[in-house]
Amino acid sequence: MMGIANVSSPEVFVLLGFSARPSLESILFIVVLGFYVVSILGNGIIILVSCMDVHLHTPMYFFLANLSFLDISFTTSIVPQLLVNLWGPQKTISYGGCVVQFYISHWLGATECVFLAVMSYDRYAAVCRPLNYTVIMHPQLCLSLALASWLGGLTTSMVGSTLTMLLPLCGNNRIDHFFCEMPLIMQLTCVDTSLNEVEMYVASFIFVVLPLGLILVSYGHIAWAVMKIRSTEGRRKAFNTCSSHVAVVALFYGSIIFMYLQPAKSNSHEQGKFIALFYTVITPMLNPLIYTLRNKDVKTALRHIVLEKCCGFAGPWGHI
């Protein structure tokens, strides 16, 4: 198998992307670049304030900082190559670059699914077990859950991506997408891919369906607990505790579910590219906006850092 793969693997892949609509490429270049810059800045700010402000040294912001770092890494594994292809006539990516891209994107995509489930458990503990929250979500558990998320995503990527990389491609090198994705690489092969497909379905169940089920169970318990709260203020506080995470989950899983429910037609494949553009570029940009615009703690911490650390002002307003 290795001998065949080495002989038949192309030196470069052609990423067709949006080349069928050349008039759209210059517009997409500007839009994607803008979203990418905002995504890097927004997620970078969340990491900065989560590390620098002691008031945010809590399980929720520990996981949020991990999610922000994950989003920066995920977009950076895809967007720079996309910008190069949108800017000029060259639509190619080296074989090694393509392999690295689908290893990393697969790893980080699976990790994000698990992280969202872990964050939903954290919200469950905060709302349903408030008196025992600090005991349940102790630092060792938080670190263990984070490591399990990263290592779990890495494991499924190493297995699935390696099995895909070993497939002989028989000279096929045209990928009808804007980045190297494992199912599309499998379509280029000239041998039976049953083993790869089984592995992909099993991995999808473990790292996509199962985390989504855990998220739904967690929020089912949260909804039941909120219904038992009699005061309007208590319900509002519980809602604010979970609303940002619910919005992020809805964006992430909504785009994935919508993409895979598309019918197998050529026009739906074109729509799939724009949906993929949404969850690879737009969603990572929206995540920090959702968490900062709806979160008084983050806005207070950011104001404190800007006034006291950067501008040299210290005073009670830093904690207002």
Side-chain angles (χ1 to χ4, degrees):
M1 176 69 76
M2 279 297 293
I4 297 173
N6 288 336
V7 170
S8 59
S9 296
E11 293 183 1
V12 297
F13 287 98
V14 178
L15 296 173
L16 298 179
F18 303 97
S19 57
R21 305 183 184 188
S23 60
L24 191 62
E25 289 188 317
S26 57
I27 299 172
L28 280 176
F29 177 86
I30 297 171
V31 172
V32 170
L33 178 61
F35 281 150
Y36 180 56
V37 171
V38 173
S39 176
I40 296 296
L41 290 175
N43 285 292
I45 286 171
I46 285 183
I47 295 172
L48 180 68
V49 297
S50 297
C51 293
M52 293 185 65
D53 195 291
V54 294
H55 300 95
L56 301 186
H57 291 176
T58 63
M60 175 181 171
Y61 294 104
F62 170 72
F63 293 129
L64 181 55
N66 272 269
L67 182 65
S68 293
F69 178 73
L70 193 155
D71 281 339
I72 290 175
S73 303
F74 183 64
T75 54
T76 302
S77 72
I78 294 171
V79 171
Q81 182 65 48
L82 171 60
L83 291 172
V84 169
N85 291 352
L86 288 173
W87 178 254
Q90 284 290 100
K91 311 295 180 187
T92 58
I93 181 173
S94 68
Y95 177 80
C98 186
V99 169
V100 169
Q101 192 177 72
F102 71 71
Y103 263 101
I104 294 177
S105 61
H106 188 186
W107 171 24
L108 299 178
T111 301
E112 180 150 2
C113 291
V114 180
F115 252 116
L116 291 175
V118 168
M119 293 174 75
S120 72
Y121 176 73
D122 173 67
R123 294 301 81 205
Y124 159 79
V127 174
C128 300
R129 300 287 186 272
L131 298 179
N132 298 321
Y133 176 68
T134 54
V135 177
I136 296 171
M137 301 302 296
H138 55 84
Q140 290 82 4
L141 177 63
C142 293
L143 183 60
S144 298
L145 289 172
L147 286 174
S149 301
W150 285 102
L151 292 177
L154 178 61
T155 301
T156 188
S157 176
M158 292 295 292
V159 174
S161 300
T162 301
L163 287 174
T164 303
M165 189 179 68
L166 294 176
L167 291 171
L169 303 180
C170 303
N172 298 324
N173 72 333
R174 296 171 68 84
I175 301 174
D176 192 11
H177 214 315
F178 60 84
F179 71 102
C180 294
E181 197 175 26
M182 205 166 69
L184 296 173
I185 300 292
M186 288 167 56
Q187 291 177 10
L188 302 179
T189 189
C190 50
V191 296
D192 180 57
T193 59
S194 299
L195 176 62
N196 300 74
E197 290 172 11
V198 168
E199 187 280 331
M200 187 171 64
Y201 290 137
V202 171
S204 296
F205 176 79
I206 295 173
F207 288 93
V208 179
V209 178
L210 195 57
L212 179 58
L214 293 173
I215 291 170
L216 294 176
V217 169
S218 294
Y219 278 104
H221 285 287
I222 289 171
W224 182 253
V226 170
M227 288 173 62
K228 292 181 178 180
I229 299 175
R230 295 182 178 180
S231 68
T232 304
E233 178 64 22
R235 289 189 177 186
R236 187 190 63 80
K237 187 175 180 181
F239 175 77
N240 289 338
T241 300
C242 304
S243 58
S244 296
H245 183 255
V246 170
V248 169
V249 169
L251 282 172
F252 183 78
Y253 274 101
S255 58
I256 292 176
I257 292 170
F258 186 77
M259 183 174 67
Y260 284 103
L261 287 179
Q262 293 290 302
K265 297 178 181 177
S266 58
N267 61 335
S268 67
H269 182 69
E270 287 298 311
Q271 292 173 7
K273 293 180 186 179
F274 287 97
I275 297 169
L277 198 64
F278 183 85
Y279 74 77
T280 56
V281 179
I282 300 176
T283 299
M285 182 273 297
L286 291 176
N287 287 353
L289 295 180
I290 291 170
Y291 275 104
T292 52
L293 292 177
R294 297 190 59 86
N295 194 307
K296 187 166 67 175
D297 292 338
V298 173
K299 288 188 286 187
T300 301
L302 182 58
R303 185 165 60 247
H304 170 70
I305 290 171
V306 171
L307 291 175
E308 192 167 303
K309 305 291 185 182
C310 299
C311 301
F313 296 111
W317 57 79
H319 298 282
I320 294 174

